Every structure is written in C-alpha cells, then in structure tokens.
Amino acid sequence: MNFRKGQGREDPEINLIAFIDVLLVILIFLMVSTSYSKFTALQITLPTADAEKAMERPFEINVIVDAQGRYAINNTRVAVQNPEALAAELTAAAAASGKTNVDPVVIIAAEATATHQTVINVLEAARIAGYSKVTFAAQTSGKK
C-alpha cells in the first residue's frame, strides 16, 4: 500500500560535510601523533676542532695510470714498467719542483679499467721513494 500519493521516490544524498569533518579529524590526529625526530642507534658526542684551514696547499705529485698500464707524472708521460724506475721518476719530479725538504702527497688517478697491478706498482714506487702520504683521486658519479 502506498499512502503517499503523488510523491515519487527521492534519490539518496550523501552528506559531504560530515565526511570532510571526519577526514580532518583523522588528519589532525595523524599530524599530532607523528614524531618527526630522528632516531639513532648510538648516542655519541662528536669531537670538535678549532683549527683554522691550511692556507698553503700541500706539495702534490699526480700520478696518472691509464687502461694500457702507462704512467704519467704531473701530466708528463714516463716510460717505466717497474716500481724502482717509477720511484726514480717520482723522486725526480719532487726534485724538479724544488721542494725537496717537504714530504709530497702522491695522488694516484687510475682509470677505472686500469689493472690492479699498475696501481700497486705506484704504491710500491711511493714506498721505495720514501713518500708516506698517498691518496687516490676519484670523480663523482653525478647522481643525486
């Protein structure tokens, strides 16, 4: 029995205001309960340094090793294959600079495809020449 005459069925409506209120309450709850502090596994106190930057750049000897096993010292190609001859070239490069009383930093810039032995030869040559400060040059990959 239909007691309502002349009235058709109405489409149901969704009340969006109540829905938005509930979402805002959830958002506020998440914002308040979220912790933005950084957690660390170890609580450490790092040392501080009060030293000034060095005004003078250290004396450097650049050794370049390419993929074919050739060497260049301070952008001058040298034709050596054993560590003893390379040590003599390192000593000659230090003497040519006129800074014989300063222990130079030997910077090894080896190509990515250079053999391991050619790099070890440079390390051995630096040891034979008596240079204890050795470092390797690398380039950044450019990815961030």
PDB file of all heavy atoms in Angstrom, residues 81-101:
ATOM      1  N   GLN A  81     108.124   0.610 -16.367  1.00  0.00           N
ATOM      2  CA  GLN A  81     107.233  -0.519 -16.134  1.00  0.00           C
ATOM      3  C   GLN A  81     107.418  -1.148 -14.757  1.00  0.00           C
ATOM      4  O   GLN A  81     106.555  -1.862 -14.294  1.00  0.00           O
ATOM      5  CB  GLN A  81     107.442  -1.603 -17.214  1.00  0.00           C
ATOM      6  CG  GLN A  81     107.011  -1.156 -18.590  1.00  0.00           C
ATOM      7  CD  GLN A  81     105.533  -0.755 -18.647  1.00  0.00           C
ATOM      8  OE1 GLN A  81     104.694  -1.376 -18.006  1.00  0.00           O
ATOM      9  NE2 GLN A  81     105.241   0.296 -19.394  1.00  0.00           N
ATOM     10  N   ASN A  82     108.542  -0.882 -14.103  1.00  0.00           N
ATOM     11  CA  ASN A  82     108.760  -1.481 -12.787  1.00  0.00           C
ATOM     12  C   ASN A  82     108.719  -0.404 -11.703  1.00  0.00           C
ATOM     13  O   ASN A  82     108.930   0.773 -11.962  1.00  0.00           O
ATOM     14  CB  ASN A  82     110.082  -2.265 -12.756  1.00  0.00           C
ATOM     15  CG  ASN A  82     111.278  -1.391 -13.084  1.00  0.00           C
ATOM     16  OD1 ASN A  82     111.142  -0.201 -13.290  1.00  0.00           O
ATOM     17  ND2 ASN A  82     112.450  -2.004 -13.128  1.00  0.00           N
ATOM     18  N   PRO A  83     108.445  -0.800 -10.466  1.00  0.00           N
ATOM     19  CA  PRO A  83     108.319   0.181  -9.372  1.00  0.00           C
ATOM     20  C   PRO A  83     109.605   0.948  -9.075  1.00  0.00           C
ATOM     21  O   PRO A  83     109.549   2.112  -8.675  1.00  0.00           O
ATOM     22  CB  PRO A  83     107.906  -0.669  -8.168  1.00  0.00           C
ATOM     23  CG  PRO A  83     107.325  -1.905  -8.745  1.00  0.00           C
ATOM     24  CD  PRO A  83     108.030  -2.134 -10.040  1.00  0.00           C
ATOM     25  N   GLU A  84     110.777   0.318  -9.280  1.00  0.00           N
ATOM     26  CA  GLU A  84     112.033   1.002  -8.976  1.00  0.00           C
ATOM     27  C   GLU A  84     112.240   2.197  -9.917  1.00  0.00           C
ATOM     28  O   GLU A  84     112.636   3.287  -9.488  1.00  0.00           O
ATOM     29  CB  GLU A  84     113.221   0.034  -9.085  1.00  0.00           C
ATOM     30  CG  GLU A  84     113.240  -1.046  -8.013  1.00  0.00           C
ATOM     31  CD  GLU A  84     112.285  -2.206  -8.279  1.00  0.00           C
ATOM     32  OE1 GLU A  84     111.792  -2.341  -9.434  1.00  0.00           O
ATOM     33  OE2 GLU A  84     112.002  -2.955  -7.341  1.00  0.00           O
ATOM     34  N   ALA A  85     111.977   1.999 -11.205  1.00  0.00           N
ATOM     35  CA  ALA A  85     112.125   3.098 -12.160  1.00  0.00           C
ATOM     36  C   ALA A  85     111.068   4.174 -11.916  1.00  0.00           C
ATOM     37  O   ALA A  85     111.348   5.372 -12.050  1.00  0.00           O
ATOM     38  CB  ALA A  85     112.029   2.562 -13.589  1.00  0.00           C
ATOM     39  N   LEU A  86     109.875   3.750 -11.529  1.00  0.00           N
ATOM     40  CA  LEU A  86     108.819   4.712 -11.228  1.00  0.00           C
ATOM     41  C   LEU A  86     109.172   5.519  -9.974  1.00  0.00           C
ATOM     42  O   LEU A  86     108.890   6.719  -9.908  1.00  0.00           O
ATOM     43  CB  LEU A  86     107.484   3.990 -11.056  1.00  0.00           C
ATOM     44  CG  LEU A  86     106.232   4.841 -10.971  1.00  0.00           C
ATOM     45  CD1 LEU A  86     106.072   5.715 -12.206  1.00  0.00           C
ATOM     46  CD2 LEU A  86     105.007   3.962 -10.800  1.00  0.00           C
ATOM     47  N   ALA A  87     109.826   4.875  -8.989  1.00  0.00           N
ATOM     48  CA  ALA A  87     110.265   5.589  -7.785  1.00  0.00           C
ATOM     49  C   ALA A  87     111.312   6.642  -8.145  1.00  0.00           C
ATOM     50  O   ALA A  87     111.306   7.749  -7.587  1.00  0.00           O
ATOM     51  CB  ALA A  87     110.818   4.606  -6.762  1.00  0.00           C
ATOM     52  N   ALA A  88     112.196   6.304  -9.075  1.00  0.00           N
ATOM     53  CA  ALA A  88     113.202   7.287  -9.508  1.00  0.00           C
ATOM     54  C   ALA A  88     112.533   8.466 -10.199  1.00  0.00           C
ATOM     55  O   ALA A  88     112.941   9.627 -10.004  1.00  0.00           O
ATOM     56  CB  ALA A  88     114.211   6.612 -10.439  1.00  0.00           C
ATOM     57  N   GLU A  89     111.495   8.204 -10.978  1.00  0.00           N
ATOM     58  CA  GLU A  89     110.768   9.289 -11.641  1.00  0.00           C
ATOM     59  C   GLU A  89     110.020  10.151 -10.617  1.00  0.00           C
ATOM     60  O   GLU A  89     109.930  11.373 -10.772  1.00  0.00           O
ATOM     61  CB  GLU A  89     109.795   8.727 -12.670  1.00  0.00           C
ATOM     62  CG  GLU A  89     110.453   8.090 -13.868  1.00  0.00           C
ATOM     63  CD  GLU A  89     111.118   9.101 -14.783  1.00  0.00           C
ATOM     64  OE1 GLU A  89     110.737  10.286 -14.770  1.00  0.00           O
ATOM     65  OE2 GLU A  89     112.035   8.701 -15.517  1.00  0.00           O
ATOM     66  N   LEU A  90     109.467   9.529  -9.581  1.00  0.00           N
ATOM     67  CA  LEU A  90     108.794  10.295  -8.522  1.00  0.00           C
ATOM     68  C   LEU A  90     109.783  11.202  -7.804  1.00  0.00           C
ATOM     69  O   LEU A  90     109.487  12.370  -7.516  1.00  0.00           O
ATOM     70  CB  LEU A  90     108.113   9.354  -7.526  1.00  0.00           C
ATOM     71  CG  LEU A  90     106.869   8.627  -7.987  1.00  0.00           C
ATOM     72  CD1 LEU A  90     106.417   7.633  -6.917  1.00  0.00           C
ATOM     73  CD2 LEU A  90     105.745   9.601  -8.275  1.00  0.00           C
ATOM     74  N   THR A  91     110.968  10.674  -7.509  1.00  0.00           N
ATOM     75  CA  THR A  91     111.998  11.468  -6.844  1.00  0.00           C
ATOM     76  C   THR A  91     112.455  12.610  -7.747  1.00  0.00           C
ATOM     77  O   THR A  91     112.679  13.737  -7.280  1.00  0.00           O
ATOM     78  CB  THR A  91     113.186  10.573  -6.465  1.00  0.00           C
ATOM     79  OG1 THR A  91     112.705   9.466  -5.700  1.00  0.00           O
ATOM     80  CG2 THR A  91     114.206  11.319  -5.642  1.00  0.00           C
ATOM     81  N   ALA A  92     112.570  12.345  -9.052  1.00  0.00           N
ATOM     82  CA  ALA A  92     112.981  13.391  -9.992  1.00  0.00           C
ATOM     83  C   ALA A  92     111.908  14.473 -10.096  1.00  0.00           C
ATOM     84  O   ALA A  92     112.219  15.659 -10.197  1.00  0.00           O
ATOM     85  CB  ALA A  92     113.250  12.775 -11.364  1.00  0.00           C
ATOM     86  N   ALA A  93     110.638  14.077 -10.049  1.00  0.00           N
ATOM     87  CA  ALA A  93     109.557  15.068 -10.096  1.00  0.00           C
ATOM     88  C   ALA A  93     109.558  15.931  -8.850  1.00  0.00           C
ATOM     89  O   ALA A  93     109.298  17.140  -8.911  1.00  0.00           O
ATOM     90  CB  ALA A  93     108.205  14.361 -10.250  1.00  0.00           C
ATOM     91  N   ALA A  94     109.862  15.342  -7.695  1.00  0.00           N
ATOM     92  CA  ALA A  94     109.940  16.126  -6.454  1.00  0.00           C
ATOM     93  C   ALA A  94     111.130  17.074  -6.496  1.00  0.00           C
ATOM     94  O   ALA A  94     111.037  18.217  -6.052  1.00  0.00           O
ATOM     95  CB  ALA A  94     110.030  15.193  -5.258  1.00  0.00           C
ATOM     96  N   ALA A  95     112.251  16.604  -7.053  1.00  0.00           N
ATOM     97  CA  ALA A  95     113.442  17.459  -7.141  1.00  0.00           C
ATOM     98  C   ALA A  95     113.232  18.591  -8.143  1.00  0.00           C
ATOM     99  O   ALA A  95     113.735  19.699  -7.947  1.00  0.00           O
ATOM    100  CB  ALA A  95     114.644  16.614  -7.533  1.00  0.00           C
ATOM    101  N   ALA A  96     112.491  18.318  -9.199  1.00  0.00           N
ATOM    102  CA  ALA A  96     112.250  19.347 -10.221  1.00  0.00           C
ATOM    103  C   ALA A  96     111.386  20.483  -9.684  1.00  0.00           C
ATOM    104  O   ALA A  96     111.474  21.612 -10.156  1.00  0.00           O
ATOM    105  CB  ALA A  96     111.580  18.725 -11.444  1.00  0.00           C
ATOM    106  N   SER A  97     110.580  20.180  -8.684  1.00  0.00           N
ATOM    107  CA  SER A  97     109.722  21.231  -8.121  1.00  0.00           C
ATOM    108  C   SER A  97     110.488  22.133  -7.161  1.00  0.00           C
ATOM    109  O   SER A  97     110.020  23.220  -6.838  1.00  0.00           O
ATOM    110  CB  SER A  97     108.538  20.603  -7.393  1.00  0.00           C
ATOM    111  OG  SER A  97     108.991  19.956  -6.225  1.00  0.00           O
ATOM    112  N   GLY A  98     111.626  21.663  -6.676  1.00  0.00           N
ATOM    113  CA  GLY A  98     112.419  22.462  -5.760  1.00  0.00           C
ATOM    114  C   GLY A  98     112.008  22.322  -4.306  1.00  0.00           C
ATOM    115  O   GLY A  98     112.551  22.975  -3.444  1.00  0.00           O
ATOM    116  N   LYS A  99     111.041  21.474  -4.032  1.00  0.00           N
ATOM    117  CA  LYS A  99     110.589  21.286  -2.649  1.00  0.00           C
ATOM    118  C   LYS A  99     111.076  19.930  -2.134  1.00  0.00           C
ATOM    119  O   LYS A  99     110.305  19.035  -1.844  1.00  0.00           O
ATOM    120  CB  LYS A  99     109.066  21.343  -2.586  1.00  0.00           C
ATOM    121  CG  LYS A  99     108.502  22.682  -2.985  1.00  0.00           C
ATOM    122  CD  LYS A  99     107.002  22.690  -2.845  1.00  0.00           C
ATOM    123  CE  LYS A  99     106.432  24.039  -3.218  1.00  0.00           C
ATOM    124  NZ  LYS A  99     104.985  24.098  -3.085  1.00  0.00           N
ATOM    125  N   THR A 100     112.367  19.792  -2.006  1.00  0.00           N
ATOM    126  CA  THR A 100     112.940  18.516  -1.598  1.00  0.00           C
ATOM    127  C   THR A 100     112.813  18.275  -0.098  1.00  0.00           C
ATOM    128  O   THR A 100     112.885  17.142   0.345  1.00  0.00           O
ATOM    129  CB  THR A 100     114.432  18.446  -1.991  1.00  0.00           C
ATOM    130  OG1 THR A 100     115.101  19.576  -1.426  1.00  0.00           O
ATOM    131  CG2 THR A 100     114.576  18.434  -3.499  1.00  0.00           C
ATOM    132  N   ASN A 101     112.615  19.321   0.690  1.00  0.00           N
ATOM    133  CA  ASN A 101     112.521  19.146   2.140  1.00  0.00           C
ATOM    134  C   ASN A 101     111.098  18.857   2.614  1.00  0.00           C
ATOM    135  O   ASN A 101     110.872  18.633   3.787  1.00  0.00           O
ATOM    136  CB  ASN A 101     113.072  20.386   2.859  1.00  0.00           C
ATOM    137  CG  ASN A 101     112.300  21.642   2.461  1.00  0.00           C
ATOM    138  OD1 ASN A 101     111.569  21.656   1.483  1.00  0.00           O
ATOM    139  ND2 ASN A 101     112.495  22.701   3.240  1.00  0.00           N
TER     140      ASN A 101
END
